[in-house]
Amino acid sequence: MQWQQRLMALLLISGMYAEAGVTPASAAVSMRLTVVSEQGETLVDAAAPDGSRWCIQWQHSVEHFTVLDCYRNAGGIMQLERSHQPDFAAGLGHIYGRGEQVSDGEGGYWINAIDEPVANNRYVLRVGSMAVNHSVIWPAKEHTTVSLSERAAGQRVTIELTAP
């Protein structure tokens, strides 16, 4: 079933890009990761070519440990690729049939191979306070980090993978 969903998404995206005169391959290469506040302020605008990866990182508000939701640009589609949790705290955990849970070797776990497309290549996040410190990180770029909480605590932001 998953290959059918991917095919449908690819066909839909191909049609959208064709209308704009852009091929899916060129669009996937030149995609951008953006985070925009409710007021329209751009908090993040970074190149996100096909295959690039980034994570949203935050401190769990009750247990105060770091949680990661990691995404990738998979051919122009934002996908939730994997998630890391050091505990089965409130609101966290593995859902059977959604990825594969594996130990991180330190008492926590990764849920790998989630590979779920994010609807419309975007989602809205209510940014937590500095105690939560919602951040965008790029693990492949020596853990480059942009704190969303520093600039938009308590606000809704839109995280989006955009075509040129």
Side-chain angles (χ1 to χ4, degrees):
M1 184 67 160
Q2 195 173 43
W3 70 268
Q4 293 169 326
Q5 291 171 334
R6 287 183 181 169
L7 178 60
M8 291 301 292
L10 182 59
L11 291 173
L12 175 63
I13 288 169
S14 296
M16 291 185 318
Y17 290 141
E19 289 176 20
V22 177
T23 66
S26 66
V29 168
S30 59
M31 303 282 291
R32 303 205 56 86
L33 174 65
T34 61
V35 181
V36 178
S37 73
E38 288 179 291
Q39 293 76 26
E41 179 185 3
T42 300
L43 306 175
V44 173
D45 182 4
D50 190 24
S52 63
R53 291 174 161 83
W54 65 92
C55 300
I56 303 298
Q57 173 181 283
W58 71 94
Q59 302 301 307
H60 191 278
S61 60
V62 176
E63 299 296 329
H64 307 290
F65 51 61
T66 302
V67 179
L68 291 166
D69 282 334
C70 298
Y71 299 84
R72 73 173 171 209
N73 174 353
I77 299 170
M78 183 192 303
Q79 284 188 345
L80 174 61
E81 181 177 36
R82 60 195 296 214
S83 185
H84 182 264
Q85 292 114 32
D87 194 332
F88 287 104
L92 301 176
H94 177 241
I95 299 169
Y96 180 77
R98 182 178 185 243
E100 175 187 21
Q101 180 180 321
V102 297
S103 172
D104 69 1
E106 298 177 11
Y109 61 95
W110 281 100
I111 303 171
N112 292 326
I114 298 172
D115 301 334
E116 286 181 357
V118 174
N120 300 314
N121 274 355
R122 71 174 154 238
Y123 66 96
V124 174
L125 170 70
R126 169 106 26 215
V127 177
S129 69
M130 281 304 296
V132 173
N133 196 19
H134 277 106
S135 300
V136 181
I137 67 168
W138 290 267
K141 295 181 181 177
E142 299 176 17
H143 291 283
T144 300
T145 303
V146 174
S147 173
L148 301 176
S149 293
E150 283 181 6
R151 297 182 53 203
Q155 296 181 43
R156 291 169 34 120
V157 299
T158 301
I159 300 171
E160 185 171 16
L161 184 64
T162 62

